Amino acid sequence: MRAMIYRRKDFLMNAFLRRTASATAALCLVAPAAWSMTAEEAWDAWVSIASQYGEDIAAASTEKVGDTLTAGGVTVKIEVEDLSISGELGDVTLTENADGSVTIKTPEAFAIDMVAAPEYGEKVEAQINFATPGLDTQASDVGGITTFTYGAPEIVISVDDMKVDGEDAPLNIMAKLTGTTGTYAVGAGDDAAMTSEMTTEALDISFDGRDPEGGGNAKGTISVAGFSTTSAGQGNVLFMSPEKLPALLRAGAEMSGNSIIGATTFEMSGQDGSDNFAVSGSMDGATLAMQLSGEQVTYAVNYQNFALTMSGSDIPLPEVSLALGETSVNVIFPLAQSDTPKPFMMAVGLKDLTLADGLWNMFDPGTVLPRDPATLTFNLAGQGNWLVDILDEKTMAEGPQGAPGELHALTVSDVLLKVAGAEFTADGAFTFDNSDLTTFDGLPAPDGTLNLKLVGGNALIDKIVSMGYLPADQANMIKLSAGAFTRPGTDPDTLTSEITVTPDGMVSANGIPIPLK
């Protein structure tokens, strides 16, 4: 039952966040067409720019009185893949100002209908309500770039009247943004560049629902102490179907974005008969950054001090909790076909993982193992190139003939695994000969060295033996096997190894060939 509630909630939230961003911008903002704008030009620009994002905005009537144009009975409609959004905003006024700008006033409350009908999955219908009391939008045009500044003391978005496959689904979702300000700028032309900035002092989300086929229910809240975002790119890149993305990137489109998320807390609970669950957590903040072009994609995300606590009838403890001091992922990945090597990189960091004593005690009741924070990090960087155009739909549909790309160099660094008193580190560098694909059975011949070091490994094995998880004879075999490929370090309980690979196919550990001869 809980899984069904989660699935419906996640489906709706993902669709809502992915597909209504452009609608919200179009509903709140207008793009005028000249330095000294008229209300008519502002209205025409709004409709034109919205159409570039796949939105159809129309008015039942327009009437100009003095310096104010009133667009009556404004409607909006968006059709994207399996998602349809439509609604009536009511009357919108556009007032010409003495400084050449235009003030836009939209109704303080309106509703739109959303229908998500995927080919495989449940059909979801819902009404999305917007409340924007005090929204102030000022638009201007400088050098053909339309810029508008907006601010709202409060924006409330709620979802109700949901149906899943035609049946009522009692799920309510509300999001409130407090102290929101931002700017939005669009250049001229069909291929116009777009930049935006937005800052919100606080974001609060709440939801509750129940299973229409049973008595189960779930509810939850998310609170964010402010966030800010910036983005740049082309409107038709930011608000389009994923199928069109490769062609746009091949044509030179680019986009980028950065986000800073403040301290966040969340909690969720539910029950179904005698079954119950509860989840709560927090984090100090997060940052996200992304750049995408036809040449490469870069992505970076970092979370600080994430904590999670879970309890429930299916968990054999009063509660289970864990915490991560830092979580980070950084990726650089080339996309363009090239005759020359391009850089790539993947760095992952999971630092200072701690588990509550209750969880430790399930497998270590005698406190044999050190319960110090665990850490896993690694960095893989190198040079490579694609021999085929991976952005070409026809090429990828037919499949590449032969190897799709080449690997020229690989560097391994920042490898660290700390757990239960033991510490493993590694670093190394390799080059690859792509003209030799026979020595290593179809792989380019490598040339390089990997350095390995393990501290506290034997002590950890002994502790596992004392806990009864590993027989002593098997532990001795592990130690003997490790001794064949390692050598003692200068410090106690330290093993090191130097793995060398040469282009002629020789692999050795500390100068001893592998396999041993």
Side-chain angles (χ1 to χ4, degrees):
M1 175 270 158
R2 296 196 296 269
M4 179 168 60
I5 290 179
Y6 297 156
R7 185 173 64 254
R8 292 173 180 171
K9 173 180 69 66
D10 292 343
F11 180 87
L12 173 64
M13 288 299 293
N14 289 337
F16 171 71
L17 293 174
R18 287 173 48 226
R19 302 301 185 190
T20 62
S22 58
T24 303
L27 299 177
C28 297
L29 306 173
V30 181
W35 168 245
S36 180
M37 294 180 295
T38 66
E40 292 89 346
E41 289 170 335
W43 169 254
D44 291 341
W46 182 10
V47 173
S48 175
I49 291 176
S51 67
Q52 296 179 31
Y53 303 156
E55 305 164 20
D56 181 11
I57 294 179
S61 63
T62 56
E63 182 180 6
K64 179 79 172 288
V65 178
D67 58 7
T68 299
L69 174 70
T70 299
V74 176
T75 59
V76 60
K77 186 175 183 179
I78 304 173
E79 298 282 351
V80 182
E81 297 180 355
D82 51 17
L83 183 70
S84 173
I85 297 175
S86 61
E88 182 172 338
L89 309 185
D91 295 345
V92 176
T93 61
L94 304 94
T95 303
E96 300 163 353
N97 300 318
D99 63 359
S101 63
V102 170
T103 296
I104 306 102
K105 291 294 184 181
T106 56
E108 291 191 349
F110 55 88
I112 62 176
D113 296 319
M114 184 195 76
V115 178
E119 182 178 358
Y120 304 101
E122 299 169 320
K123 178 182 179 181
V124 177
E125 303 169 85
Q127 179 177 286
I128 304 174
N129 304 299
F130 292 82
T132 58
L135 173 66
D136 178 70
T137 305
Q138 302 294 324
S140 62
D141 192 317
V142 179
I145 298 177
T146 298
T147 302
F148 28 125
T149 303
Y150 59 93
E154 183 177 282
I155 298 174
V156 179
I157 305 171
S158 60
V159 179
D160 56 23
D161 294 339
M162 182 184 295
K163 295 182 181 294
V164 177
D165 285 340
E167 299 291 334
D168 289 336
L171 176 62
N172 302 307
I173 303 172
M174 184 181 73
K176 182 173 76 172
L177 294 84
T178 304
T180 299
T181 60
T183 61
Y184 185 89
V186 181
D190 294 337
D191 202 26
M194 183 274 286
T195 61
S196 70
E197 298 180 1
M198 187 184 75
T199 299
T200 293
E201 296 176 359
L203 168 64
D204 295 288
I205 300 173
S206 62
F207 66 89
D208 65 84
R210 62 179 178 83
D211 185 354
E213 299 177 358
N217 61 79
K219 61 181 180 179
T221 60
I222 302 172
S223 296
V224 183
F227 69 90
S228 61
T229 65
T230 62
S231 64
Q234 295 168 303
N236 54 1
V237 173
L238 297 177
F239 307 119
M240 54 82 206
S241 60
E243 289 82 359
K244 297 179 181 179
L245 181 59
L248 290 171
L249 294 177
R250 294 180 73 203
E254 298 180 351
M255 63 182 296
S256 62
N258 295 274
S259 298
I260 300 175
I261 302 173
T264 301
T265 60
F266 61 91
E267 60 181 22
M268 181 170 58
S269 62
Q271 62 181 27
D272 185 4
S274 60
D275 295 332
N276 63 81
F277 73 97
V279 179
S280 63
S282 64
M283 71 173 180
D284 286 353
T287 59
L288 300 94
M290 181 274 296
Q291 291 183 320
L292 177 63
S293 70
E295 290 295 319
Q296 68 177 21
V297 57
T298 65
Y299 175 80
V301 60
N302 181 281
Y303 299 93
Q304 294 289 331
N305 293 324
F306 175 80
L308 178 69
T309 299
M310 299 177 291
S311 62
S313 54
D314 293 334
I315 298 176
L317 289 173
E319 67 177 28
V320 173
S321 61
L322 59 87
L324 264 172
E326 181 180 3
T327 305
S328 62
V329 177
N330 294 271
V331 175
I332 299 175
F333 189 73
L335 298 177
Q337 181 179 359
S338 174
D339 294 329
T340 58
K342 301 294 182 181
F344 66 86
M345 183 267 285
M346 180 177 182
V348 174
L350 304 174
K351 299 179 181 180
D352 296 332
L353 169 65
T354 59
L355 303 177
D357 286 340
L359 193 57
W360 273 105
N361 292 337
M362 291 183 64
F363 57 88
D364 183 21
T367 319
V368 175
L369 298 176
R371 299 183 179 184
D372 301 330
T375 291
L376 170 63
T377 66
F378 65 86
N379 188 327
L380 304 177
Q383 297 277 331
N385 62 288
W386 293 108
L387 300 176
V388 298
D389 187 354
I390 64 172
L391 297 177
D392 181 69
E393 182 179 353
K394 182 178 179 181
T395 298
M396 298 309 294
E398 294 176 350
Q401 302 298 317
E406 295 178 333
L407 175 63
H408 294 266
L410 178 65
T411 298
V412 181
S413 63
D414 298 328
V415 177
L416 171 63
L417 175 60
K418 293 172 57 178
V419 61
E423 180 176 303
F424 172 78
T425 56
D427 64 78
F430 297 86
T431 59
F432 298 85
D433 182 3
N434 288 274
S435 66
D436 179 3
L437 300 178
T438 58
T439 302
F440 286 84
D441 297 327
L443 300 176
D447 183 7
T449 299
L450 180 65
N451 301 297
L452 309 174
K453 183 179 180 180
L454 177 62
V455 179
N458 288 328
L460 178 58
I461 291 176
D462 292 340
K463 288 181 173 66
I464 295 175
V465 171
S466 69
M467 295 167 65
Y469 291 124
L470 182 67
D473 56 343
Q474 294 184 17
N476 291 330
M477 291 182 60
I478 293 174
K479 293 178 180 180
L480 289 173
S481 299
F485 302 99
T486 62
R487 56 190 175 193
T490 55
D491 299 324
D493 197 3
T494 300
L495 298 175
T496 64
S497 185
E498 183 180 88
I499 308 298
T500 301
V501 184
T502 56
D504 59 4
M506 177 66 69
V507 180
S508 62
N510 305 315
I512 302 175
I514 302 174
L516 299 176
K517 294 182 180 180

